[in-house]
Amino acid sequence: MAGDAETIGVEEEFFLVDRNGLLVQRAPEALDAADAADSDLKPELLRCQVESATGVCGTGPELYQELTGLRAQLARGATRNGALLAASGTVVHQQPGDLPIGPGTRYHRIGEHFGRIVFGNLVCGCHVHVGVADRAVALEVSNHLRPWLPVLMALSANSPFLEGRDTGYASSRHVIYSRWPSAGPPPYLESVGHYEAILAGLLETGAALDRKMIYWDIRPSEHQPTLEVRIPDVLGTVREATLVAVLVRTLVRTALDAVTHGVAAPRLPTEVVRAGLWRAAKDGLEGRCPDPETGKARPVLAIVDDLVRANHARLAEAGELDLTVSTVDWLRREGGGAARQRRAYAAGGRLDDVLGEISEEAEPGHTGPGA
């Protein structure tokens, strides 16, 4: 995922579950069976989770193809181990007992240091990387993106169920993940030195064991010349994941223009960003959240429509306009991920129907929006 702001890449996390909704603790085996020697597939913190990462992509359609292929490989490995690939920010059914931590010394160190928070951290997200090679510029871009975090949260909210119950939140994943001491919206960052001073404090207190454990919703990558946006739940369909990535890159490009012209980012207090994220996680795509331009609550889809309209030419030039418009229109008709999960449950009052919805949407052959 190296490069400049013309490049994008996406990481997706998924659960492995059986047809009764119980987690399948065979992530390493599923990855071995995926027949994907040339792809970036790996286990996650817990043995019931798998993750994929695209390569460097130049356009939304290219990203869509990569994500489709990676999901196909993960689904193949899951099937060979008696599991389904589930695309939801949280696991739907209640689970018995503790969960084994995935392979790797680092994961076991995290488990020993943070205790049972690890086992309560049963969530799956989607991380978007956009190429920004200069660390100082990346931090300025992060400042400009902070007001947009609630919009991205609402657009991706896909985790209403937890431990067999509707939580009342469109994204319960966001609430759960916020318990990590190094998680949440990033502060307004004055400089690389300011960033490094904050990281040093988190490491000194043990709130993070290493630099990779800075779990902010936006962060510069430690190993690649990218800015990483980590706020989204894992999306139900490939097209939704592609839409979110395209919109993130559009916001980064706009922020880079502002940085180039010396336009400072709004100094929105972190507490206000956090409050907006709570509202977005509560209501999801069908609700309201703060407009990044005015701070006033507006319907999420209206804000997204304005963003697409303002970047019509840029999206068209990249060959991403049709995909963007068709996916937003589909979401307007069918609802966001949380709404679709709830609709599946309402039809028969069965969590198994929700599982059917999220496992079907995770399949690479699922037509999804715009098809």
Side-chain angles (χ1 to χ4, degrees):
M1 296 180 208
D4 56 26
E6 298 302 311
T7 65
I8 44 176
V10 169
E11 297 169 314
E12 292 191 293
E13 300 164 347
F14 301 94
F15 293 115
L16 299 176
V17 297
D18 65 20
R19 296 191 179 277
N20 296 314
L22 298 181
L23 293 163
V24 175
Q25 311 297 333
R26 293 183 61 81
E29 294 84 355
L31 295 176
D32 287 344
D35 294 339
D38 297 329
S39 298
D40 191 355
L41 306 179
K42 51 196 171 187
E44 252 295 332
L45 177 58
L46 301 174
R47 285 181 57 91
C48 55
Q49 294 173 289
V50 291
E51 178 183 334
S52 68
T54 70
V56 178
C57 295
T59 67
E62 180 186 352
L63 179 69
Y64 176 86
Q65 293 299 324
E66 279 226 31
L67 288 171
T68 299
L70 290 169
R71 286 197 184 198
Q73 292 166 347
L74 287 175
R76 182 164 56 244
T79 299
R80 291 173 177 174
N81 282 271
L84 301 169
L85 203 63
S88 177
T90 49
V91 65
V92 172
H93 290 72
Q94 188 168 13
Q95 304 295 314
D98 285 340
L99 300 167
I101 293 176
T105 303
R106 179 173 178 270
Y107 285 155
H108 284 276
R109 283 179 55 233
I110 292 172
E112 291 171 1
H113 185 73
F114 289 96
R116 295 196 60 80
I117 190 176
V118 171
F119 300 104
N121 194 49
L122 194 57
V123 296
C124 285
C126 171
H127 304 158
V128 180
H129 288 256
V130 181
V132 183
D134 185 276
R135 176 60 57 92
V137 173
L139 297 180
E140 289 189 75
V141 171
S142 173
N143 290 339
H144 280 276
L145 262 57
R146 292 169 76 246
W148 284 94
L149 283 171
V151 179
L152 297 172
M153 172 77 275
L155 183 61
S156 68
N158 187 34
S159 51
F161 292 95
L162 179 68
E163 296 180 355
R165 297 172 181 257
D166 190 324
T167 63
Y169 283 81
S171 176
S172 59
R173 167 188 169 269
H174 173 72
V175 179
I176 294 169
Y177 202 72
S178 297
R179 296 183 301 186
W180 285 101
S182 58
Y188 190 101
L189 296 161
E190 305 287 350
S191 64
V192 173
H194 183 208
Y195 171 76
E196 291 295 338
I198 294 173
L199 262 61
L202 291 169
L203 293 168
E204 178 64 27
T205 60
L209 292 183
D210 53 42
R211 294 173 69 95
K212 289 177 65 176
M213 281 198 72
I214 306 304
Y215 290 154
W216 289 342
D217 299 327
I218 312 168
R219 70 180 186 185
S221 172
E222 286 298 318
H223 302 294
Q224 303 177 47
T226 64
L227 187 67
E228 181 184 7
V229 176
R230 302 167 51 83
I231 192 65
D233 285 359
V234 66
L235 284 302
T237 65
V238 170
R239 277 185 179 257
E240 288 173 279
T242 306
L243 170 68
V244 169
V246 165
L247 292 182
V248 166
R249 181 171 66 168
T250 298
L251 291 170
V252 170
R253 285 173 162 173
T254 301
L256 284 169
D257 289 344
V259 171
T260 299
H261 291 92
V263 178
R267 289 181 173 272
L268 197 60
T270 300
E271 294 81 1
V272 174
V273 180
R274 193 181 299 275
L277 283 167
W278 176 84
R279 184 78 263 168
K282 186 74 169 61
D283 294 349
L285 183 65
E286 290 69 33
R288 298 160 69 88
C289 75
D291 186 304
E293 301 295 333
T294 67
K296 304 297 184 182
R298 291 182 61 211
V300 174
L301 277 169
I303 300 173
V304 173
D305 287 340
D306 287 349
L307 175 62
V308 174
R309 192 158 35 244
N311 290 276
H312 188 281
R314 179 169 270 169
L315 291 166
E317 183 180 359
E320 298 165 347
L321 183 61
D322 288 346
L323 182 149
T324 300
V325 171
S326 66
T327 306
V328 172
D329 286 346
W330 184 86
L331 288 169
R332 200 185 322 277
R333 295 192 306 270
E334 299 297 324
R340 300 197 304 274
Q341 286 196 37
R342 284 171 169 150
R343 187 165 64 238
Y345 182 78
R350 301 171 63 245
L351 289 171
D352 289 352
D353 293 334
V354 181
L355 175 62
E357 174 78 13
I358 60 177
S359 60
E360 179 182 345
E361 288 192 352
E363 293 176 2
H366 183 74
T367 54

